Amino acid sequence: MLIARKYFCAQQKLGLMRPITLWLLISTALMAGTCTQPCMASSWDEMDYEPFSNFYVSSNAADYANMATLNAEIGASLNTRLSIYFGAKYNPFQFGSGNDVKRNKQCAFNAGVRVWPWRTFSGWFFSAGAGFLRFNRSNYFGRETREGDFYGIQAGAGYAYMISRHLNLDFGVGLMLGPCKYTKYSCPRCGNVLDKGKKIHLEPNNVLVQLSYLF
């Protein structure tokens, strides 16, 4: 009887150990897979992505909505986390006539770098650079006419949404800070000078709703 009881207890312990051992083996395998999978995925992702993301061209719908400002931007990746860009804008148009004419004439250039926490041309990005703007604005913000030159340093942030392997939709906003040499007139045609000078100016620039094609 004693031998039978010991045998039964041993079988009972063995029966408990089997599911515990199986559970430990499965857990270890899952943990190992979880640890190695990001490395494997990252390696595949870098190899698969790199040939398709060296260079891009883009145009910004937000600038077209701003009194039909023509614009273009080009950029290139330096590595998987860093890229450079160069953009230009031009607006020769005006709307209306007389003192009611509305215009945001400009010729602008900007260049800089973007840092991508995940990978270039995908996800969040942060930018820094420099820009130049020559402008003539009438009935744009208020009734006065302003013209002048503005240049300075830029900083911004945004997000690039991958529509497909070769197509991105970018959202973002930037600010430019620097000296602005300006003249302010009381109306578009009368020529009465209200103010002129040079001061440090800060304004939003590079508001992006931008479609990019990646090569």
Side-chain angles (χ1 to χ4, degrees):
M1 179 66 71
L2 183 59
I3 294 174
R5 183 178 296 175
K6 288 181 178 180
Y7 177 78
F8 176 77
C9 291
Q11 289 295 320
Q12 192 175 32
K13 288 180 180 179
L14 185 60
L16 289 173
M17 288 298 293
R18 282 174 180 169
I20 292 173
T21 303
L22 183 61
W23 178 80
L24 288 173
L25 289 173
I26 293 173
S27 299
T28 303
L30 289 174
M31 290 178 66
T34 302
C35 292
T36 58
Q37 187 63 27
C39 297
M40 294 171 62
S42 176
S43 175
W44 176 87
D45 197 59
E46 297 289 346
M47 292 173 62
D48 183 70
Y49 175 76
E50 186 65 24
F52 298 93
S53 59
N54 294 325
F55 177 74
Y56 75 89
V57 295
S58 64
S59 197
N60 186 15
D63 284 327
Y64 290 112
N66 182 11
M67 296 191 179
T69 300
L70 307 175
N71 68 92
E73 183 178 288
I74 59 174
S77 61
L78 300 178
N79 54 48
T80 56
R81 300 292 185 273
L82 192 66
S83 67
I84 57 174
Y85 68 91
F86 176 81
K89 303 178 184 180
Y90 181 64
N91 189 328
F93 309 114
Q94 63 182 32
F95 305 91
S97 60
N99 286 331
D100 293 325
V101 66
K102 294 182 179 181
R103 61 176 177 253
N104 183 25
K105 292 186 175 183
Q106 60 178 291
C107 181
F109 303 94
N110 61 84
V113 297
R114 290 191 177 118
V115 179
W116 304 81
W118 184 38
R119 69 183 187 189
T120 49
F121 312 140
S122 183
W124 292 101
F125 65 82
F126 304 93
S127 63
F132 170 80
L133 168 66
R134 176 161 290 173
F135 63 91
N136 184 305
R137 298 168 176 168
S138 295
N139 294 307
Y140 189 66
F141 291 115
R143 296 290 297 176
E144 299 90 359
T145 294
R146 295 172 180 263
E147 64 180 15
D149 295 332
F150 177 36
Y151 54 92
I153 57 174
Q154 299 176 331
Y159 186 86
Y161 176 74
M162 299 176 68
I163 299 174
S164 68
R165 185 178 293 267
H166 294 285
L167 203 61
N168 275 8
L169 184 60
D170 306 329
F171 303 93
V173 66
L175 296 173
M176 187 162 76
L177 173 68
C180 179
K181 184 179 180 181
Y182 69 95
T183 303
K184 182 167 70 172
Y185 304 93
S186 58
C187 62
R189 295 188 177 276
C190 61
N192 296 327
V193 177
L194 297 177
D195 188 20
K196 65 185 305 183
K198 188 175 183 179
K199 64 179 181 179
I200 299 299
H201 183 60
L202 174 68
E203 74 172 44
N205 76 323
N206 282 353
V207 177
L208 299 178
V209 183
Q210 177 172 277
L211 196 63
S212 300
Y213 186 83
L214 286 71
F215 295 88

